[in-house]
mmCIF file with all atom_site columns, all heavy atoms in Angstrom:
data_model
loop_
_atom_site.group_PDB
_atom_site.id
_atom_site.type_symbol
_atom_site.label_atom_id
_atom_site.label_alt_id
_atom_site.label_comp_id
_atom_site.label_asym_id
_atom_site.label_entity_id
_atom_site.label_seq_id
_atom_site.pdbx_PDB_ins_code
_atom_site.Cartn_x
_atom_site.Cartn_y
_atom_site.Cartn_z
_atom_site.occupancy
_atom_site.B_iso_or_equiv
_atom_site.pdbx_formal_charge
_atom_site.auth_seq_id
_atom_site.auth_comp_id
_atom_site.auth_asym_id
_atom_site.auth_atom_id
_atom_site.pdbx_PDB_model_num
ATOM 1  N N   . ARG P 1 323 ? 97.837 19.973 71.571 1.00 0.00 ? 323 ARG P N   1
ATOM 2  C CA  . ARG P 1 323 ? 96.890 19.794 70.467 1.00 0.00 ? 323 ARG P CA  1
ATOM 3  C C   . ARG P 1 323 ? 97.293 20.652 69.287 1.00 0.00 ? 323 ARG P C   1
ATOM 4  O O   . ARG P 1 323 ? 97.811 21.764 69.443 1.00 0.00 ? 323 ARG P O   1
ATOM 5  C CB  . ARG P 1 323 ? 95.467 20.184 70.893 1.00 0.00 ? 323 ARG P CB  1
ATOM 6  C CG  . ARG P 1 323 ? 94.864 19.328 71.977 1.00 0.00 ? 323 ARG P CG  1
ATOM 7  C CD  . ARG P 1 323 ? 93.485 19.837 72.330 1.00 0.00 ? 323 ARG P CD  1
ATOM 8  N NE  . ARG P 1 323 ? 92.578 19.779 71.196 1.00 0.00 ? 323 ARG P NE  1
ATOM 9  C CZ  . ARG P 1 323 ? 91.430 20.429 71.127 1.00 0.00 ? 323 ARG P CZ  1
ATOM 10 N NH1 . ARG P 1 323 ? 91.056 21.220 72.125 1.00 0.00 ? 323 ARG P NH1 1
ATOM 11 N NH2 . ARG P 1 323 ? 90.643 20.323 70.073 1.00 0.00 ? 323 ARG P NH2 1
ATOM 12 N N   . ASN P 1 339 ? 85.744 24.619 70.450 1.00 0.00 ? 339 ASN P N   1
ATOM 13 C CA  . ASN P 1 339 ? 86.192 24.920 71.806 1.00 0.00 ? 339 ASN P CA  1
ATOM 14 C C   . ASN P 1 339 ? 87.473 24.165 72.126 1.00 0.00 ? 339 ASN P C   1
ATOM 15 O O   . ASN P 1 339 ? 87.765 23.106 71.542 1.00 0.00 ? 339 ASN P O   1
ATOM 16 C CB  . ASN P 1 339 ? 85.125 24.528 72.838 1.00 0.00 ? 339 ASN P CB  1
ATOM 17 C CG  . ASN P 1 339 ? 83.834 25.305 72.662 1.00 0.00 ? 339 ASN P CG  1
ATOM 18 O OD1 . ASN P 1 339 ? 83.842 26.449 72.216 1.00 0.00 ? 339 ASN P OD1 1
ATOM 19 N ND2 . ASN P 1 339 ? 82.714 24.673 73.015 1.00 0.00 ? 339 ASN P ND2 1
ATOM 20 N N   . PHE P 1 340 ? 88.240 24.701 73.050 1.00 0.00 ? 340 PHE P N   1
ATOM 21 C CA  . PHE P 1 340 ? 89.390 23.984 73.613 1.00 0.00 ? 340 PHE P CA  1
ATOM 22 C C   . PHE P 1 340 ? 89.431 24.329 75.100 1.00 0.00 ? 340 PHE P C   1
ATOM 23 O O   . PHE P 1 340 ? 89.014 25.421 75.518 1.00 0.00 ? 340 PHE P O   1
ATOM 24 C CB  . PHE P 1 340 ? 90.692 24.363 72.906 1.00 0.00 ? 340 PHE P CB  1
ATOM 25 C CG  . PHE P 1 340 ? 91.108 25.793 73.082 1.00 0.00 ? 340 PHE P CG  1
ATOM 26 C CD1 . PHE P 1 340 ? 92.123 26.140 73.963 1.00 0.00 ? 340 PHE P CD1 1
ATOM 27 C CD2 . PHE P 1 340 ? 90.492 26.806 72.358 1.00 0.00 ? 340 PHE P CD2 1
ATOM 28 C CE1 . PHE P 1 340 ? 92.504 27.461 74.125 1.00 0.00 ? 340 PHE P CE1 1
ATOM 29 C CE2 . PHE P 1 340 ? 90.876 28.130 72.515 1.00 0.00 ? 340 PHE P CE2 1
ATOM 30 C CZ  . PHE P 1 340 ? 91.880 28.466 73.399 1.00 0.00 ? 340 PHE P CZ  1
ATOM 31 N N   . THR P 1 341 ? 89.897 23.392 75.908 1.00 0.00 ? 341 THR P N   1
ATOM 32 C CA  . THR P 1 341 ? 89.828 23.564 77.361 1.00 0.00 ? 341 THR P CA  1
ATOM 33 C C   . THR P 1 341 ? 91.125 23.144 78.029 1.00 0.00 ? 341 THR P C   1
ATOM 34 O O   . THR P 1 341 ? 91.962 22.449 77.442 1.00 0.00 ? 341 THR P O   1
ATOM 35 C CB  . THR P 1 341 ? 88.691 22.724 77.962 1.00 0.00 ? 341 THR P CB  1
ATOM 36 O OG1 . THR P 1 341 ? 89.003 21.329 77.792 1.00 0.00 ? 341 THR P OG1 1
ATOM 37 C CG2 . THR P 1 341 ? 87.358 23.020 77.284 1.00 0.00 ? 341 THR P CG2 1
ATOM 38 N N   . PHE P 1 444 ? 90.043 26.790 82.154 1.00 0.00 ? 444 PHE P N   1
ATOM 39 C CA  . PHE P 1 444 ? 89.463 27.690 81.163 1.00 0.00 ? 444 PHE P CA  1
ATOM 40 C C   . PHE P 1 444 ? 88.697 26.926 80.083 1.00 0.00 ? 444 PHE P C   1
ATOM 41 O O   . PHE P 1 444 ? 88.949 25.747 79.811 1.00 0.00 ? 444 PHE P O   1
ATOM 42 C CB  . PHE P 1 444 ? 90.542 28.553 80.500 1.00 0.00 ? 444 PHE P CB  1
ATOM 43 C CG  . PHE P 1 444 ? 91.576 27.770 79.723 1.00 0.00 ? 444 PHE P CG  1
ATOM 44 C CD1 . PHE P 1 444 ? 91.330 27.337 78.432 1.00 0.00 ? 444 PHE P CD1 1
ATOM 45 C CD2 . PHE P 1 444 ? 92.811 27.475 80.297 1.00 0.00 ? 444 PHE P CD2 1
ATOM 46 C CE1 . PHE P 1 444 ? 92.281 26.625 77.711 1.00 0.00 ? 444 PHE P CE1 1
ATOM 47 C CE2 . PHE P 1 444 ? 93.767 26.756 79.591 1.00 0.00 ? 444 PHE P CE2 1
ATOM 48 C CZ  . PHE P 1 444 ? 93.501 26.335 78.299 1.00 0.00 ? 444 PHE P CZ  1
ATOM 49 N N   . LEU P 1 445 ? 87.767 27.645 79.492 1.00 0.00 ? 445 LEU P N   1
ATOM 50 C CA  . LEU P 1 445 ? 87.048 27.201 78.295 1.00 0.00 ? 445 LEU P CA  1
ATOM 51 C C   . LEU P 1 445 ? 87.297 28.255 77.226 1.00 0.00 ? 445 LEU P C   1
ATOM 52 O O   . LEU P 1 445 ? 86.875 29.403 77.354 1.00 0.00 ? 445 LEU P O   1
ATOM 53 C CB  . LEU P 1 445 ? 85.552 27.067 78.569 1.00 0.00 ? 445 LEU P CB  1
ATOM 54 C CG  . LEU P 1 445 ? 84.647 26.881 77.335 1.00 0.00 ? 445 LEU P CG  1
ATOM 55 C CD1 . LEU P 1 445 ? 84.977 25.596 76.595 1.00 0.00 ? 445 LEU P CD1 1
ATOM 56 C CD2 . LEU P 1 445 ? 83.169 26.912 77.746 1.00 0.00 ? 445 LEU P CD2 1
ATOM 57 N N   . GLY P 1 446 ? 88.024 27.857 76.193 1.00 0.00 ? 446 GLY P N   1
ATOM 58 C CA  . GLY P 1 446 ? 88.351 28.780 75.108 1.00 0.00 ? 446 GLY P CA  1
ATOM 59 C C   . GLY P 1 446 ? 87.526 28.493 73.867 1.00 0.00 ? 446 GLY P C   1
ATOM 60 O O   . GLY P 1 446 ? 87.143 27.353 73.596 1.00 0.00 ? 446 GLY P O   1
#
Side-chain angles (χ1 to χ4, degrees):
R323 296 178 61 196
N339 298 329
F340 65 103
T341 66
F444 63 82
L445 168 62

